[in-house]
Amino acid sequence: MSRRAVVIGAGLAGMLAAAVLSAAGADEVIVLDRDELPEGPEHRKGLPQGRHAHLLMAGGMDAMEELLPAAGLRKRLLAAGAHEIPLSSGMLALTPDGWLRRWRREGPAMLTCSRALVDWVVREAVREQTPVRVRRVAAVGLTGSAERVRGVRVATPGGDTDIEADLVVDASGRGTRVVSWLGGLGLTGVRERAVDSGLVNASRVYRVPDGAERFPLTVVQANPYVSRPARSAMVMPIEGGRWLVSCGGSRGGEPPADPEGFLRYALDLPDPIVGRLISGAEPLGDVHLSRSTSNVRRYLEKLPRWPEGFVVLGDALATFNPAYGHGMSVAAFGARVLGRELGRSSGGLGGLGAPGLARRVVRGAARAADAAWSMAVSQDVRYPGVRGGRPTVGDRVVTAYSRRMMKAATGSYAAASVIWDVTSLRAAPTRMFRPGAVLAAVAGSPLPRSAEPPLTEGERAVLRALDRSGL
Ligand SMILES: Cc1cc2nc3c(=O)[nH]c(=O)nc-3n(C[C@H](O)[C@H](O)[C@H](O)COP(=O)(O)OP(=O)(O)OC[C@H]3O[C@@H](n4cnc5c(N)ncnc54)[C@H](O)[C@@H]3O)c2cc1C
């Protein structure tokens, strides 16, 4: 009997899930997207967050390479102009406790490029390596029962029609209707939690000025320890000789969309370096705002009953404040869980009939989101005006310890390595509590706090030459 899988959403979670399903032996994998997908690395309407900075963490990149092993995704991204940024040396970062030192030693690296490039490279690789089909159509519901999902209802010009499937994956992102779709099957009572710091992201693209091509990624981080709104900014190199500059501010500290206000915002941060850099750079478009930034968790894995033949991945399952740069990586982790569970169930996709398999995937994907969720929420609950949460005693203890580690990391390589491993999602947060890590946190930074960014002579000259801020 032919086996068909239908994936709702051709974003990152959807295309990676489609690749996994194809590799597991599905006869037919159809990806549905209501948006028109561009032929190149271009921005599209259905992915509004694509205007904003997207860091691809090492843990997420590793997972993507594992899911499409023959595609050489990292190489393709680099060939298309993405930048590989070693966290130990390629980044200038002002933390609430001072500038992080730069080290000559190796550490994990993140990739930076436009979100459109990440999606296009993954989409092309999936198209080349699998017979996955993409159809432009909007999903409007599920068919089947509370025991088994049997397909997807889609809106077509002639009215709604049904596409049958042995497995349906909801990867329709932050705006998913999964709760009401499940309700339509008689599955109600999904517990949801939203923790919303009211973060607004404002982003603008600039041409990298001559001579500044090798200037490091620069970030002024938000400070969750001062009972004031979060305010941050980042200059991130992307393909095409461009900088993507994003400012982020939580409720009461939102960045504006007008160009002068945007520059002023960056200059007024605890260090004006981002503003100074862009004051002399040529903008290549307007400032774009995003307010889709709350942390939202749908605890689908806790429903007492779960239908066979239906899984939920990526932002549809959990979304995070983008300031932490984890959403794409968690989307890849979810697809990896799907692949592993399919591999475990004898007979690949045929094994999906095995009772409980879909539920195991949802539980595994939820577990894979836990680390990113707790990192984001434990900080966001500290900002004034946050909705949906207050710091618990546990949060306070963990935050105090994380702060101590971060303070140590400003001048201790051992502590900095712990922070890199955890924030790049290469290691679980428990890495912070291993004996070596505890020792590094307790020992603190052997070097004094640096008030100045750790720039080389050449970088200082570039900054001076660009600076039109008058500061
Ligand atoms: C401002 C901002 C900055 C961010 N920065 C980072 C970052 O630095 N690093 C990081 O890792 N993550 C970041 N993220 C998070 C990241 O964008 C998401 O986690 C990621 O896009 C999740 O992928 P997804 O495939 O689940 O959803 P999406 O990428 O949103 O894809 C969903 C797809 O489903 C389609 N769709 C929706 N509804 C339907 C329907 N009914 N029928 C058919 N198709 C449908 C949409 O058209 C879209 O193509 C950021 C997010 C925001 C908002």
Side-chain angles (χ1 to χ4, degrees):
M1 191 176 69
S2 113
R3 290 276 168 180
R4 179 195 279 161
V6 172
V7 179
I8 307 168
L12 209 58
M15 292 313 289
L16 293 173
V20 157
L21 288 160
S22 193
D27 298 309
E28 195 182 4
V29 181
I30 308 172
V31 182
L32 313 176
D33 205 292
R34 60 183 178 196
D35 205 15
E36 186 163 356
L37 303 178
E39 282 308 316
E42 284 140 35
H43 179 71
R44 65 184 172 95
K45 219 173 85 214
L47 217 67
Q49 71 267 41
R51 299 256 185 224
H52 301 274
H54 272 69
L55 305 168
L56 180 51
M57 295 298 175
M61 185 74 251
D62 293 347
M64 283 164 58
E65 295 245 80
E66 190 182 321
L67 296 173
L68 280 158
L73 290 177
R74 176 186 272 110
K75 266 199 192 140
R76 285 186 195 218
L77 284 164
L78 292 172
H83 297 251
E84 193 154 37
I85 313 277
L87 301 186
S88 57
S89 59
M91 194 171 77
L92 290 172
L94 179 61
T95 74
D97 290 300
W99 288 95
L100 290 179
R101 291 262 179 336
R102 286 159 81 190
W103 307 88
R104 283 181 202 285
R105 287 183 265 175
E106 294 279 300
M110 63 185 167
L111 253 70
T112 65
C113 61
S114 69
R115 171 61 197 267
L117 182 60
V118 176
D119 278 31
W120 179 68
V121 162
V122 169
R123 225 164 42 232
E124 285 302 291
V126 174
R127 275 191 187 142
E128 278 167 31
Q129 308 220 332
T130 71
V132 166
R133 276 196 303 135
V134 180
R135 252 187 82 182
R136 188 175 177 197
V137 71
V140 292
L142 300 171
T143 61
S145 65
E147 282 70 45
R148 171 170 284 281
V149 166
R150 300 213 174 266
V152 181
R153 185 150 298 149
V154 297
T156 61
D160 291 352
T161 56
D162 296 347
I163 305 175
E164 283 186 16
D166 301 283
L167 174 70
V168 174
V169 178
D170 178 17
S172 63
R174 186 176 270 270
T176 181
R177 305 288 315 282
V178 67
V179 173
S180 87
W181 290 349
L182 286 169
L185 300 179
L187 290 162
T188 55
V190 175
R191 193 158 73 78
E192 289 183 80
R193 183 172 178 210
V195 176
D196 180 10
S197 70
L199 182 91
V200 172
N201 245 75
S203 300
R204 194 175 200 195
V205 175
Y206 293 79
R207 191 188 309 286
V208 176
D210 288 344
E213 295 79 5
R214 299 175 64 81
F215 202 88
L217 180 145
T218 302
V219 55
V220 177
Q221 293 179 355
N223 188 343
Y225 309 117
V226 286
S227 304
R228 282 202 294 272
R231 291 160 69 87
S232 66
M234 175 167 68
V235 177
M236 177 183 112
I238 61 170
E239 74 278 8
R242 295 174 296 164
W243 278 340
L244 179 43
V245 179
S246 282
C247 296
S250 66
R251 196 164 281 114
E254 300 89 342
D258 68 287
E260 289 78 35
F262 182 77
L263 173 60
R264 191 76 258 155
Y265 188 92
L267 287 169
D268 285 347
L269 293 175
D271 191 289
I273 187 165
V274 169
R276 292 178 65 202
L277 280 170
I278 59 175
S279 65
E282 179 197 349
L284 297 175
D286 295 332
V287 179
H288 295 275
L289 292 189
S290 168
R291 295 173 200 279
S292 302
T293 57
S294 57
N295 305 284
V296 180
R297 191 87 193 245
R298 301 175 184 91
Y299 292 97
L300 303 176
E301 71 282 8
K302 296 203 191 307
L303 271 184
R305 288 191 299 159
W306 186 256
E308 301 296 346
F310 183 55
V311 304
V312 183
L313 300 177
D315 274 16
L317 188 61
T319 65
F320 316 95
N321 175 338
Y324 307 97
H326 286 160
M328 294 191 296
S329 296
V330 173
F333 295 162
R336 185 164 66 184
V337 170
L338 173 65
R340 286 180 182 167
E341 289 297 339
L342 282 169
R344 249 177 235 148
S345 76
S346 58
L349 194 75
L352 268 187
L357 188 123
R359 173 155 227 171
R360 283 198 294 282
V361 174
V362 171
R363 282 191 176 148
R367 263 196 307 277
D370 278 344
W373 175 262
S374 52
M375 276 187 249
V377 166
S378 63
Q379 289 226 354
D380 280 4
V381 289
R382 302 182 66 86
Y383 291 115
V386 66
R387 294 181 187 150
R390 311 174 60 126
T392 60
V393 176
D395 283 338
R396 286 183 210 279
V397 173
V398 171
T399 307
Y401 179 68
S402 309
R403 183 171 194 194
R404 189 171 181 126
M405 184 71 81
M406 184 53 103
K407 227 178 207 166
T410 58
S412 147
Y413 183 81
S417 305
V418 174
I419 299 277
W420 299 327
D421 286 352
V422 174
T423 55
S424 65
L425 299 178
R426 267 208 169 145
T430 47
R431 161 93 172 86
M432 303 255 285
F433 301 98
R434 286 201 211 137
V438 174
L439 216 62
V442 171
S445 168
L447 300 166
R449 181 181 169 138
S450 156
E452 291 295 319
L455 294 163
T456 62
E457 260 322 306
E459 289 161 357
R460 212 164 278 134
V462 169
L463 180 60
R464 266 197 310 272
L466 280 178
D467 193 353
R468 307 271 184 283
S469 68
L471 289 181

